[in-house]
Each structure stands twice: as structure tokens, then as C-alpha cells.
Amino acid sequence: MKTAKYTITAIALSICTLIGAQTSFDAAKLYEEELNGTARYIGMGGAMSALGSDPSVISHNPAGIGTYRKSDINLSLSSFGTSVSTDPSATASKPIFNNGRSYYSRNTKSDVNVAFDNFSAIFSGSESGDNYFNFGMSYRKLQNIDRNLDYIDSFDDADGYEVWREYKDHQRNKVNSFDFNISYNLSDKVYFGYTFGILSAVTNSEGYFYDYYAPGNHPDFPNGLDYTCVDKMNRSDGAGWNMAFGTIIRPVQALRLGAAIKTPTYFHERLEYSDYLYAVMGEGKDGDKFNNDVEYKYSSPWSIDLSAGLTFGGSVVNVALGAEYEKHFASRSSLSIGNTKMVNQGAVDYKDFSVLKTGFELNVSNFSIRSGFGYKESMFNDGSYPYLYDSDFNGWKNDSSGNLAEVGRTDFQIDRPGKTRYVTFGLGYCSTPDRDGTQFYIDLAYVNGLKGSIVNVNEYAEDVDVKYNYKSDKIQLTFGWNF
């Protein structure tokens, strides 16, 4: 009976080791861009790269800044919350049985958060006649994630005694972008733009894992027994840079066609992790600590952006329609430690993926109504799994006694992000220009997001891929001035 216990724990520890160190899954956190920007941009589902005249297009199609005929300053605040649940919903009162396991989730919700999401300034000046040279700069939160994931299951060990396990992970990721743009408007017929972006990224993950016999579940341990009990904390921080080039062509007054290319973001990150062990194979450890850190480089995908915008109407009522397609070449991503490329990370786990956006805006006098929809494919290949033996950091090292020792951390489970969809709505008001042409505007947007994810916990019993849904609700408010 004790042999069965040790077998279970040895497998648990080996899996914890395999899911360690720096992987494609860590790097993907840096590229998980949310729909964010001004309330007008969000309200139209982000489908504004060809329409332009909004600072949030600055890194998608830099030529969109060239459509400004006035200078503009704006700032945005948001309030958001998230929830996590299994799909189909598995709760303690209604667990799901799969491949020898009974599992469920507590279906957690985050607190409501308030954030300063966006600040932009566009300065427009006439060069001669209808030709304009514009300069823009923007701060934008590309990612602001705060969510909890938990997983609880039970199964019978080799001797038929019930084992319980519990996992929990609290994820907090923040990626900020500071963009600087120059653009040119040639007689409202052709627009050109260039953007240089500087990014800062911080990701945090805190959680715990333990497995145990409950009291009365095993005759050798009538009071119960914790096999393995560990708290873990992982954190990465760093910076990156990228560039984007774009153009918009206006063949007729009502139609705009846009195209842009964006270089990879070249990140330099430092990843730290710590594990606090309280029990291993049933032996108390009093919080023994294991920690390590690594500096790595991540080159995110190249991407292209194709867009179209259509406007029609009169002086009182007019309509704008936008559509956008992005292609991200994730299969060309790469990770490296020092000057050593990790050949079993990045491109081997990722696949090229597409993003679709559509948006609508109805303007009646000074008021606007907006709606939008967005869809993003997963960047992971089906069945992707960390492979950790392609560098000294990820495999084996000499310990203090000079013996080879396996290096690992306890990331407990694999969370493989899947498809994402957004549904958005918005309202706006823009004042009538005063005598010197100055006007102010205020926009409000709501976005409902749903992201699928596959969580894999593959210890002891047969593999189970549990489908989770990350839901988000966000309200964005933007104040701005044209002058």
C-alpha cells in the first residue's frame, strides 16, 4: 500500500519537474494582447485601421494617424472583472467523471478592478494645401489580466483507495506599450505612417498544489496524509521593442483600403520562480525553498494587417463600417537563453493564427452609436506540451556536491490558451466646434470577452484535458479634445 503511495507521489514530482523552467507557455503570456484602447476603438471592435482618426490604431496601421486634420488629446479609464469556469460547468455538487477521475472547479470570479488604460496625443500640422504631416504618441495597456484558476479531482490509487488533489493558480499579467508615430497625408488620397513601440511586461503567477488521503480513506493513514504540498510563485519582467509600417489608399471619397506590416516584438525578460515545499512523499519539509532565475529573449510573431473602411451619409446622419484581418506568423517565433536558441520551444509549439474584426458606427448630429465583433484563433498547436531538455537551465545542473541534479519548478498544470471572441457596444458624444475649432468628446464602451483554454493535468491516471472559459466584462470611458 505504501508502495502505491510512493509511486503516485514520484509521478507527481516528475510531472512537476517536466513542467518547469522557461517555456513557450511563459513566452505566450507576453503576446496575449487584449482588445484595448479608446472607448471609440473598443466600441467598434477594434476594426478602425483603415478608417483611422483614432490613436489606438497607432501600432496596427500607423497610417491611420495620418487621417487627422486636427490635433487631439485623450485619456481613458476602465473598470473590469473576470470569471473562470469549466466547459461544461463542473461544480462540487455536479462533478464530471472522465478517464478515471472525478473533477470540478469552484468557478472563481475576480474582484472589480479600475485601471488607467490609455493616454494619447496627436499633433497635426498642414505642410501645404491638403498635405498634412502628423506626429503621435500613445500609452496603452495591451494586457491587464487578473484571474484565478482552480481544479479539484479525485481518483483511486493502485490499491483502490481514493486520492484527492487540488490545484490553484492566480495569474496577473500586465503589458504596456509606449508608441511614437510619424505619418503623412497626401491630399486625403494616400496616407503613410511609421510607429516605433517600446513595451514593458510583468507577469505573475502564484498558486499551490497538494494531494492527499482524506481522513478515513486509507487504513495506513487513518488521520489522512499529505503526499506533496507546495506553494509556488513565478514572476517575469522585462521590456521589448517593435516597429510597424502602414499605408491607406482612398480610391474614392467613401472607401479606404489599408495595409500594414509589424515586426516581431523583441523581448528581453528575466524569469524568477520559487517553490515552498511543505511535504514531499508524505515527509514534512517545513517550507523548504527552491528557487532559480533565468534571463531569456523572445521574438514574437511577424504580423500583417489588411483593412477596409466605408463611410457614407450627409451632414446630420452618417455611417462608418470597418473590417480588418490580421495574420500572425507565430511559427516563426523563437526563444533563446544567452546566445543559445531553444530549438524545442516557440515555433514548434505555435502555429500561425488569424484575427478578424468588424465594426459599425452611426452618427446622428452630435451623438454616436457603435458595435463590433472580434475573433482570434489560438496560437498553440493542438497537443502542445513543454519540452525542457534543450538547455542547461531546463535540464540538468551540478548541485553543491558536484553531482548532476534535475532542475525544475512546480507549474502543476499546462494552461494552453485557445480561441477568443469579443462582442462590443459603445456610445459617444462630440460637441459642436467653437469659433476656433476646438471641441471635446466623451465615449463609453462595453466589451464582453470569452477565451477558451485547455488545462492538462496528467498525473497517475489517464490524461484529462479540461476545457476552461475565461470570461471578462469591461466598461471603458474616454475623454478627449480636438483643437
Side-chain angles (χ1 to χ4, degrees):
M1 295 179 185
K2 291 183 179 180
T3 302
K5 176 198 74 171
Y6 292 136
T7 301
I8 295 170
T9 304
I11 295 172
L13 288 175
S14 67
I15 295 298
C16 288
T17 301
L18 286 174
I19 310 175
Q22 203 286 324
T23 71
S24 304
F25 294 81
D26 295 304
K29 295 177 181 178
L30 306 176
Y31 202 65
E32 194 176 347
E33 183 174 337
E34 298 177 290
L35 179 61
N36 210 345
T38 67
R40 184 186 179 212
Y41 179 82
I42 291 174
M44 292 189 67
M48 295 193 65
S49 286
L51 294 168
S53 296
D54 190 282
S56 301
V57 306
I58 196 168
S59 64
H60 293 276
N61 187 341
I65 305 302
T67 63
Y68 276 92
R69 302 292 293 267
K70 294 182 179 180
S71 297
D72 178 270
I73 294 178
N74 67 73
L75 59 89
S76 302
L77 304 173
S78 72
S79 176
F80 68 96
T82 61
S83 64
V84 180
S85 62
T86 55
D87 178 25
S89 182
T91 63
S93 60
K94 190 179 68 174
I96 291 178
F97 190 80
N98 190 350
N99 277 356
R101 304 183 195 183
S102 178
Y103 72 84
Y104 68 91
S105 171
R106 293 193 182 93
N107 302 328
T108 58
K109 294 183 178 180
S110 74
D111 295 330
V112 175
N113 296 275
V114 177
F116 171 62
D117 276 6
N118 185 78
F119 172 78
S120 304
I122 311 297
F123 301 98
S124 178
S126 175
E127 182 185 61
S128 62
D130 288 332
N131 298 337
Y132 282 74
F133 182 83
N134 297 340
F135 170 76
M137 52 186 177
S138 174
Y139 159 76
R140 182 163 62 105
K141 271 187 168 56
L142 300 183
Q143 185 184 149
N144 192 14
I145 291 176
D146 187 340
R147 64 191 178 205
N148 291 284
L149 183 148
D150 70 357
Y151 171 88
I152 301 166
D153 71 8
S154 65
F155 55 87
D156 292 341
D157 68 13
D159 294 322
Y161 299 112
E162 187 177 33
V163 180
W164 284 87
R165 302 181 306 172
E166 183 169 349
Y167 305 78
K168 185 171 183 179
D169 191 33
H170 181 198
Q171 304 168 15
R172 289 166 295 162
N173 303 337
K174 293 186 179 181
V175 180
N176 301 316
S177 180
F178 303 86
D179 295 304
F180 303 90
N181 171 275
I182 54 175
S183 54
Y184 188 71
N185 174 346
L186 181 59
S187 302
D188 275 339
K189 297 295 183 182
V190 182
Y191 310 85
F192 304 97
Y194 163 79
T195 295
F196 179 79
I198 301 173
L199 288 80
S200 66
V202 177
T203 69
N204 285 278
S205 177
E206 299 178 9
Y208 62 78
F209 158 71
Y210 69 94
D211 58 349
Y212 61 95
Y213 287 122
N217 276 15
H218 199 295
D220 288 352
F221 315 107
N223 296 321
L225 177 73
D226 288 339
Y227 294 156
T228 302
C229 184
V230 58
D231 289 343
K232 62 98 177 178
M233 290 177 283
N234 300 335
R235 183 181 189 275
S236 76
D237 63 87
W241 64 272
N242 58 36
M243 295 185 293
F245 307 85
T247 185
I248 297 173
I249 299 173
R250 200 171 187 174
V252 295
Q253 183 70 17
L255 179 64
R256 301 180 188 186
L257 302 174
I261 186 169
K262 189 173 183 178
T263 71
T265 301
Y266 300 97
F267 284 102
H268 190 147
E269 291 282 310
R270 183 172 184 267
L271 176 70
E272 304 174 73
Y273 64 87
S274 300
D275 296 334
Y276 297 84
L277 301 174
Y278 298 97
V280 178
M281 298 179 71
E283 178 183 350
K285 291 294 183 180
D286 298 324
D288 291 350
K289 181 180 179 181
F290 169 77
N291 59 28
N292 211 331
D293 63 80
V294 63
E295 292 189 4
Y296 71 95
K297 299 174 184 176
Y298 169 51
S299 173
S300 74
W302 284 82
S303 64
I304 59 171
D305 185 299
L306 303 176
S307 55
L310 183 66
T311 59
F312 54 91
S315 59
V316 177
V317 178
N318 56 78
V319 173
L321 302 174
E324 193 164 338
Y325 171 78
E326 298 175 9
K327 185 72 172 182
H328 298 253
F329 299 96
S331 61
R332 295 181 178 271
S333 301
S334 65
L335 286 83
S336 60
I337 296 177
N339 295 320
T340 303
K341 183 177 180 180
M342 302 172 69
V343 297
N344 291 297
Q345 304 291 347
V348 297
D349 295 314
Y350 301 152
K351 63 181 179 181
D352 299 345
F353 66 94
S354 300
V355 180
L356 298 174
K357 305 174 187 176
T358 60
F360 164 84
E361 180 180 64
L362 171 66
N363 297 299
V364 180
S365 187
N366 298 82
F367 297 91
S368 302
I369 300 174
R370 306 178 181 106
S371 66
F373 176 82
Y375 175 80
K376 175 184 175 182
E377 295 177 327
S378 172
M379 69 182 291
F380 278 93
N381 289 313
D382 294 341
S384 295
Y385 192 90
Y387 179 84
L388 301 178
Y389 297 99
D390 54 2
S391 75
D392 290 340
F393 179 83
N394 286 345
W396 298 79
K397 281 186 175 180
N398 290 324
D399 61 18
S400 57
S401 302
N403 300 315
L404 281 178
E406 198 164 9
V407 177
R409 74 185 192 201
T410 46
D411 268 11
F412 315 141
Q413 74 278 321
I414 303 168
D415 186 1
R416 188 168 68 242
K419 301 173 183 177
T420 304
R421 72 103 179 102
Y422 292 104
V423 178
T424 68
F425 301 94
L427 298 171
Y429 171 79
C430 186
S431 68
T432 303
D434 60 20
R435 285 182 299 178
D436 60 3
T438 300
Q439 57 190 142
F440 74 90
Y441 58 91
I442 180 170
D443 295 310
L444 181 69
Y446 165 74
V447 55
N448 173 264
L450 177 64
K451 173 183 290 186
S453 182
I454 300 294
V455 174
N456 179 273
V457 284
N458 52 3
E459 302 167 28
Y460 186 67
E462 294 295 323
D463 282 5
V464 174
D465 281 341
V466 181
K467 295 182 179 180
Y468 277 80
N469 286 327
Y470 297 114
K471 300 178 182 178
S472 61
D473 293 282
K474 179 176 181 177
I475 296 175
Q476 183 100 342
L477 184 64
T478 298
F479 302 92
W481 296 265
N482 288 323
F483 57 92

